Amino acid sequence: MKSSDKKQSLKEELQKIQFNKLDEKQIINTAIARLEGGQRDRMVLAYLAQQLRKLALERNLSKEGLDLLTRITRPNFDEDIAFSSITWF
């Protein structure tokens, strides 16, 4: 998958998510704007995790937000191992 295809799919996935809380909607809209601005997927995902984690600590995160946070922070062993092996050599 090309980087632009991956970026498009992340953008499309974020656009499909419907949140009821204004804070969560603003976080998603900011993430979409960052993707449209050319920011890398990893940076946008890190931003999402940071902002959603902050809401979770304040106990202001909805079930949908918690599901998204869990999904984006879950380890992807295939990608993580490949990325770490690149840095070793």
Side-chain angles (χ1 to χ4, degrees):
M1 183 183 302
K2 293 181 183 175
S3 177
S4 62
D5 293 339
K6 190 174 183 181
K7 196 172 287 186
Q8 186 66 25
S9 65
L10 178 59
K11 179 182 168 188
E12 289 172 358
E13 186 176 336
L14 291 175
Q15 288 173 335
K16 291 177 187 175
I17 298 173
Q18 298 295 320
F19 288 114
N20 294 329
K21 293 190 174 189
L22 182 61
D23 292 341
E24 294 171 353
K25 287 181 185 179
Q26 289 176 340
I27 292 169
I28 296 298
N29 290 339
T30 302
I32 292 170
R34 287 179 176 210
L35 285 171
E36 290 173 346
Q39 197 167 31
R40 293 182 179 163
D41 288 354
R42 285 189 179 267
M43 297 298 292
V44 173
L45 289 173
Y47 164 78
L48 280 171
Q50 176 188 24
Q51 296 301 315
L52 292 174
R53 192 175 296 119
K54 192 182 302 183
L55 286 178
L57 290 173
E58 296 170 357
R59 295 182 182 237
N60 290 330
L61 192 61
S62 68
K63 183 187 179 322
E64 294 83 9
L66 183 59
D67 291 343
L68 177 61
L69 178 60
T70 302
R71 220 172 51 218
I72 62 176
T73 57
R74 182 178 301 140
N76 181 349
F77 293 110
D78 293 334
E79 187 176 310
D80 294 342
I81 290 172
F83 185 70
S84 67
S85 67
I86 290 172
T87 60
W88 279 86
F89 302 107

